[in-house]
Amino acid sequence: MQKQPFTHQFILPPQSPSAIPIVAPDAVASTSSQTDTSNKPASKPKVANVNAKRLCRNVIIHGFCKFEDKGCEFNHEVGIKPSSQPSPESKSTVRIQQPTSTSKPANAVSTVTPDSVNAPVFVPTSSSTAITQVTTTTEGNAVNPSASSGQNGYSSTNGDGSVSGLTNSFSHFSMTGEISGTASPMQQHPPMSSMGSMSMMQPGPVDPYYYMGASMFDQQPLQYHMHARTLPHLANLSTQQRALQSFFTPDQLREELARRNENELVTIPARELGLPQEVDVYHSLYPLEIRNQPGHKSMFFNHPTTAYKAVSTVDGRTYVLYRVEGFRLVNEQAMASVERWRKIRHSNIVSIREAFTTRAFGDPSVIFVYQYHPGAKTLLSMYGMGNRSANGSAPTFIPETTLWSYITQIASAMKKVHKAGLAVRSIEPSKILVTGKNRLRINCSAALDVLHFESGDGTIEEHQQEDFLAFGKLIIELACNIPQSSQNLPRSFELVSHCYSADIKKVVLYLLSKPDSTKNIDHVISLIGSRILHEVNCNQSYTDVLDHELSRQLENGRLLRLLTKMGFINERAEFENDPSWSETGEKYIIKLFRDYVFHQTDDNGSPRLDNAHVVSCLNKLDAGVDEKIMLTSRDDETSVIVSYKEAFLFSVSNLFTMSAELVWALVKNNNSFLVKRPNGVEFTAERGNLTNLNTFKYSGLANNKAVDIAAAPRGVRVTLKKAKQANKPAKSTHSYVIAKSRRASAKSVANLVARSGYRADLRKAALARASAVISSQAPKKAKAVRPAKGLRAEKAAAKQA
Ligand SMILES: Nc1ncnc2c1ncn2[C@@H]1O[C@H](COP(=O)(O)OP(=O)(O)OP(=O)(O)O)[C@@H](O)[C@H]1O
């Protein structure tokens, strides 16, 4: 059966809620009606009944009626408006006037149901086709995806947004196969043809997108690829979405680390503070606390003391100098205990570096040098024990888990010290530092051993027993959070029993019990028991958190390396006149890629600061994905389509074509082969370095031509670097195995390295290395053992017997 030719009339089934029947304007309708009428067979009998005026349901549903010529009594004249006698179905349909070139549907928007926005969105049949169209525009204006919408191939609407303009713009996407050139399979069997067979829409020359509704084309299409959507509120993020902050270190941790850095870096010219410029090898002294009363005696040292932060000229690190003022050290032997303390490494002890006497402050002073923990506070200042006695404020109780954590840490430190045959002697709220969340470190180790050496105030065992008492008092003071609370023990125990579990009291009672030779730290640890496990668990969980943070920073490091690489390559002064960096060279792509990543602009030419775009581009570059992007020059004259993979390869190859001097400048202090010796000599273990010295001449990493000599299963293997294949690791070297006599091998090595003009400057080093390798392969001579005589012979005989 022959299908009805396409007309301007669509009558869609009323059952479909989103269907929009489109009716031709009256003029057209009447014309077509007349035409249809004229074409009607004259013999067709006029049906006098009512049905003759009603539109056939087949026409409504299918667009035609196969019984039209077989006696169907309904009206098949689709051009005639059935409004004269509307069918029940037609009442529910929404009608849109078809726009003509002269009349724009002013009320079209208002008559269209909201569902009409669900009309299919325009999708070009092939992106590459679209891009080719765009890039080879006859006006010579290559189009940047980030350029204005007028050039993006989507909006060739007239300034007034008229539909005629739109029809033209889409004409080359027509599905009728009428476009020039070979029709794609898609065009030969357009999807709409199947719709046509359903009589929803007939295939024909009319733009199939027309019915999408004129109102959709009145506005400029949004550039979805240009504008990142605003993220939903933090509370509404779905599982795959992440807030921007989640890519970086949490604020609290960052703040803490930044504060520590600041503490470490802060400095004031020593002269302003009336301090010496240098004390021994330390400079940039900065007092860690301001003393209001000069000559204030420390309760602990029983001497005026001051703590300074200072930088060592030896290793550039920051340390704390504890100055005990006006102390004359008579016996040099006193310093011996410092050596023993230096060997103690424990996470809850501030390690001591050295101690010395000085007159740099104008008086005889003893200086103890300790590791610096930026931002550390003493337990005393942290819990305000000292201040509270003055202002009488109520004590705040330390949570029991925190108290157990403190007890565990101090017990652990004591165990280490006692095991080393020393006594802590500084378990005091003013000498215990808090260096992180609930992290304690016992400070001022060795100080009393040195200062009280002369007076000989007791044995190590006695001091260890004192440690137990000091520990017990500390727990009482922390638990009650009242200074000197250990002096009123019955009252303090009452308070402790009231606020904490009985286990704490048990530990304190043991610690404060009469000194006894059987009293030891192991017993204290057994009393702490399972609390230690809790502490270990907490610490490991915290380590996991920090590990996680570290791994995220690792990703940042990777991206930074990529950025650094691009930074090294782009806009180098020495490439200014290099033709391979011209506007057409392959290296130019890296420049364009940089612009694509960082210098995108919006329609108004304002910079787009889209972090997600930058991170995504760099990740794709790093992974070398095949996705293609169009890079456009700043003057819009050149457009290149490359994949991330190609861009990655260009960037790598260009990095390797950097000058050897530049590579050396980059790697000389930062490479994984470096072996630094304490005496200042730097060795390196990279291949291609004949002397293993970290110098430019011998560097196997930096030099384009380098020689490596190593032992082969037989003879020596000489490997030469191929300068031209530097960016292809598999092909970048050439190896020769020389298995000859020592002299002949030396000659061959010299020929390879020097006579060919490869690296004459390495001749001597190459010969020395080859000789050493050959020597190492020579069979070892058995040592002639002297026969034993005399006493030795007798001893040997006795041994054997
Ligand atoms: N190793 C260190 N790292 C960082 N800061 C430290 C270190 N040692 C001490 N401090 C800081 O120096 C300041 C002074 O320490 P000091 O031991 O003199 O405390 P103090 O309360 O004044 O005791 P005292 O009453 O005995 O003088 C403290 O605020 C402490 O935070």
Side-chain angles (χ1 to χ4, degrees):
M1 181 184 288
Q2 200 180 357
K3 287 177 186 167
Q4 293 277 339
F6 179 81
T7 66
H8 295 292
Q9 185 175 11
F10 294 86
I11 302 172
L12 300 178
Q15 291 88 342
S16 167
S18 60
I20 305 164
I22 303 172
V23 181
D26 290 346
V28 179
S30 59
T31 321
S32 66
S33 157
Q34 282 163 10
T35 317
D36 288 348
T37 316
S38 60
N39 290 343
K40 237 176 10 176
S43 59
K44 190 164 181 175
K46 289 215 170 191
V47 184
N49 62 18
V50 193
N51 289 343
K53 290 183 180 173
R54 289 180 62 180
L55 192 61
C56 176
R57 282 180 68 125
N58 282 332
V59 173
I60 294 172
I61 296 166
H62 303 297
F64 65 95
C65 174
K66 60 182 177 181
F67 303 109
E68 186 178 349
D69 299 327
K70 296 178 185 169
C72 178
E73 59 182 10
F74 290 98
N75 182 11
H76 297 97
E77 293 170 0
V78 290
I80 297 171
K81 277 210 284 188
S83 55
S84 55
Q85 198 158 21
S87 68
E89 296 88 348
S90 66
K91 279 179 190 165
S92 62
T93 57
V94 182
R95 288 166 192 276
I96 300 174
Q97 294 289 316
Q98 181 188 5
T100 62
S101 56
T102 49
S103 68
K104 220 173 107 181
N107 57 351
V109 176
S110 59
T111 53
V112 177
T113 65
D115 293 330
S116 60
V117 297
N118 295 328
V121 179
F122 165 71
V123 180
T125 50
S126 134
S127 57
S128 60
T129 318
I131 289 169
T132 316
Q133 294 267 4
V134 171
T135 50
T136 55
T137 173
T138 47
E139 284 86 45
N141 289 334
V143 179
N144 187 343
S146 58
S148 72
S149 64
Q151 294 178 331
N152 65 7
Y154 282 75
S155 60
S156 21
T157 51
N158 299 336
D160 59 353
S162 70
V163 177
S164 58
L166 283 162
T167 309
N168 290 340
S169 75
F170 291 124
S171 58
H172 50 266
F173 297 114
S174 163
M175 295 187 176
T176 57
E178 288 180 12
I179 57 167
S180 58
T182 318
S184 69
M186 194 69 170
Q187 289 159 340
Q188 286 161 3
H189 304 284
M192 296 303 283
S193 65
S194 59
M195 288 173 77
S197 69
M198 290 158 62
S199 298
M200 294 290 283
M201 176 187 260
Q202 302 287 348
V206 175
D207 189 335
Y209 295 99
Y210 160 71
Y211 76 98
M212 286 164 70
S215 61
M216 291 189 69
F217 299 113
D218 283 342
Q219 60 198 21
Q220 291 276 326
L222 269 180
Q223 294 182 310
Y224 296 105
H225 61 298
M226 291 275 292
H227 298 280
R229 274 191 335 152
T230 329
L231 280 175
H233 186 269
L234 212 58
N236 301 328
L237 288 183
S238 48
T239 42
Q240 80 281 4
Q241 289 174 324
R242 291 167 68 190
L244 189 62
Q245 291 89 331
S246 74
F247 289 96
F248 303 102
T249 312
D251 284 348
Q252 213 182 347
L253 182 61
R254 192 167 45 79
E255 213 174 300
E256 172 69 24
L257 295 177
R259 198 168 51 80
R260 285 188 201 172
N261 274 347
E262 194 184 338
N263 279 332
E264 186 160 354
L265 295 173
V266 66
T267 180
I268 298 179
R271 210 171 295 140
E272 280 181 26
L273 300 168
L275 294 172
Q277 293 279 352
E278 275 191 1
V279 178
D280 200 61
V281 293
Y282 302 94
H283 62 90
S284 308
L285 269 68
Y286 182 87
L288 287 174
E289 61 176 351
I290 308 295
R291 297 249 184 245
N292 294 329
Q293 308 150 342
H296 160 86
K297 267 192 183 178
S298 156
M299 299 266 281
F300 177 73
F301 290 104
N302 205 17
H303 265 278
T305 55
T306 318
Y308 302 98
K309 173 175 79 82
V311 180
S312 161
T313 46
V314 177
D315 58 9
R317 291 193 186 154
T318 308
Y319 293 94
V320 170
L321 307 187
Y322 254 92
R323 171 185 165 215
V324 182
E325 298 170 26
F327 190 92
R328 200 181 295 274
L329 195 73
V330 184
N331 197 337
E332 284 273 307
Q333 297 278 315
M335 292 293 188
S337 65
V338 174
E339 266 315 298
R340 296 179 69 192
W341 272 100
R342 266 167 60 94
K343 290 183 189 134
I344 291 192
R345 290 267 174 270
H346 193 273
S347 53
N348 298 115
I349 296 174
V350 180
S351 49
I352 186 164
R353 182 181 159 85
E354 62 175 330
F356 57 90
T357 55
T358 183
R359 283 191 163 270
F361 294 91
D363 67 339
S365 305
V366 181
I367 306 284
F368 296 95
V369 183
Y370 293 99
Q371 198 183 349
Y372 175 59
H373 294 281
K377 283 182 178 174
T378 61
L379 267 182
L380 188 75
S381 62
M382 183 151 167
Y383 291 106
M385 296 171 184
N387 297 340
R388 212 182 33 258
S389 56
N391 62 25
S393 58
T396 46
F397 289 102
I398 300 171
E400 181 157 347
T401 42
T402 309
L403 193 57
W404 277 116
S405 170
Y406 290 168
I407 294 171
T408 311
Q409 293 176 60
I410 293 171
S412 168
M414 273 176 75
K415 164 103 182 152
K416 176 83 181 179
V417 176
H418 287 195
K419 211 175 153 212
L422 294 164
V424 183
R425 304 187 75 182
S426 55
I427 303 179
E428 287 223 1
S430 71
K431 292 292 161 270
I432 294 177
L433 297 181
V434 185
T435 59
K437 195 168 181 280
N438 295 348
R439 183 70 187 278
L440 298 190
R441 289 175 205 262
I442 301 176
N443 201 10
C444 295
S445 53
L448 289 192
D449 292 351
V450 173
L451 300 178
H452 295 179
F453 182 80
E454 277 298 298
S455 58
D457 57 353
T459 62
I460 288 287
E461 288 73 28
E462 285 168 355
H463 293 318
Q464 286 181 348
Q465 292 300 320
E466 282 166 16
D467 281 349
F468 292 119
L469 293 178
F471 190 10
K473 283 182 190 170
L474 181 79
I475 298 175
I476 286 281
E477 282 175 13
L478 285 172
C480 302
N481 203 359
I482 299 170
Q484 312 302 326
S485 49
S486 57
Q487 288 172 7
N488 186 356
L489 281 178
R491 170 106 182 80
S492 301
F493 273 124
E494 203 181 303
L495 205 61
V496 171
S497 322
H498 185 69
C499 301
Y500 297 99
S501 66
D503 289 351
I504 291 213
K505 197 175 162 189
K506 229 190 260 178
V507 174
V508 176
L509 280 175
Y510 179 78
L511 289 170
L512 294 182
S513 62
K514 223 170 134 209
D516 180 359
S517 58
T518 56
K519 198 166 149 184
N520 60 44
I521 189 66
D522 290 331
H523 192 80
V524 180
I525 289 169
S526 68
L527 288 176
I528 300 170
S530 60
R531 261 63 185 223
I532 296 176
L533 297 182
H534 178 73
E535 184 65 13
V536 170
N537 183 33
C538 290
N539 275 335
Q540 287 186 347
S541 305
Y542 189 53
T543 313
D544 287 346
V545 172
L546 294 182
D547 260 3
H548 175 67
E549 287 308 321
L550 194 65
S551 67
R552 292 196 324 184
Q553 301 314 310
L554 196 77
E555 289 305 295
N556 291 352
R558 186 174 57 80
L559 293 184
L560 178 75
R561 275 202 303 281
L562 271 174
L563 290 179
T564 319
K565 201 193 280 184
M566 285 198 343
F568 281 141
I569 296 168
N570 280 319
E571 334 260 303
R572 296 198 70 87
E574 64 264 37
F575 296 141
E576 198 71 35
N577 301 316
D578 185 343
S580 62
W581 285 83
S582 69
E583 302 291 296
T584 52
E586 126 189 333
K587 292 170 186 169
Y588 184 57
I589 286 175
I590 304 166
K591 259 191 198 176
L592 296 184
F593 184 78
R594 190 265 321 268
D595 282 359
Y596 177 79
V597 176
F598 298 104
H599 299 169
Q600 298 246 342
T601 53
D602 64 12
D603 289 355
N604 307 321
S606 318
R608 280 180 66 213
L609 307 180
D610 185 351
N611 274 330
H613 169 77
V614 173
V615 173
S616 136
C617 286
L618 291 177
N619 276 334
K620 286 174 181 173
L621 178 76
D622 200 23
V625 297
D626 283 320
E627 186 182 325
K628 290 209 187 304
I629 43 171
M630 186 162 74
L631 307 177
T632 305
S633 63
R634 291 177 184 183
D635 56 5
D636 278 359
E637 288 288 324
T638 318
S639 290
V640 195
I641 295 178
V642 284
S643 66
Y644 284 98
K645 194 175 185 174
E646 286 158 345
F648 173 76
L649 290 176
F650 291 147
S651 73
V652 171
S653 64
N654 287 307
L655 190 65
F656 280 108
T657 52
M658 286 195 302
S659 69
E661 287 79 5
L662 188 59
V663 175
W664 173 245
L666 298 176
V667 302
K668 67 178 172 187
N669 289 325
N670 310 293
N671 70 71
S672 57
F673 301 102
L674 274 184
V675 183
K676 291 190 180 177
R677 293 276 174 247
N679 58 5
V681 183
E682 281 186 1
F683 290 106
T684 172
E686 89 249 16
R687 285 191 66 191
N689 189 322
L690 291 170
T691 56
N692 293 107
L693 288 172
N694 189 34
T695 60
F696 176 53
K697 179 180 170 184
Y698 296 114
S699 173
L701 289 174
N703 287 297
N704 293 332
K705 291 179 177 178
V707 182
D708 186 72
I709 297 183
R714 247 192 88 234
V716 290
R717 184 190 304 278
V718 181
T719 308
L720 305 181
K721 230 170 138 178
K722 289 189 215 164
K724 286 185 184 162
Q725 304 273 23
N727 55 342
K728 294 175 189 159
K731 297 179 185 170
S732 65
T733 56
H734 205 306
S735 285
Y736 307 85
V737 175
I738 303 168
K740 301 178 186 169
S741 65
R742 183 181 287 266
R743 188 181 284 264
S745 298
K747 198 172 174 200
S748 302
V749 170
N751 280 344
L752 277 173
V753 175
R755 291 226 180 99
S756 57
Y758 186 75
R759 283 288 300 268
D761 58 325
L762 295 180
R763 185 176 183 277
K764 202 172 155 196
L767 287 176
R769 196 169 183 104
S771 172
V773 170
I774 293 168
S775 299
S776 71
Q777 291 171 332
K780 283 209 170 90
K781 280 185 192 163
K783 250 188 179 175
V785 186
R786 245 187 331 139
K789 284 182 192 167
L791 197 63
R792 255 194 313 139
E794 278 169 26
K795 267 188 189 168
K799 219 177 185 183
Q800 273 182 0

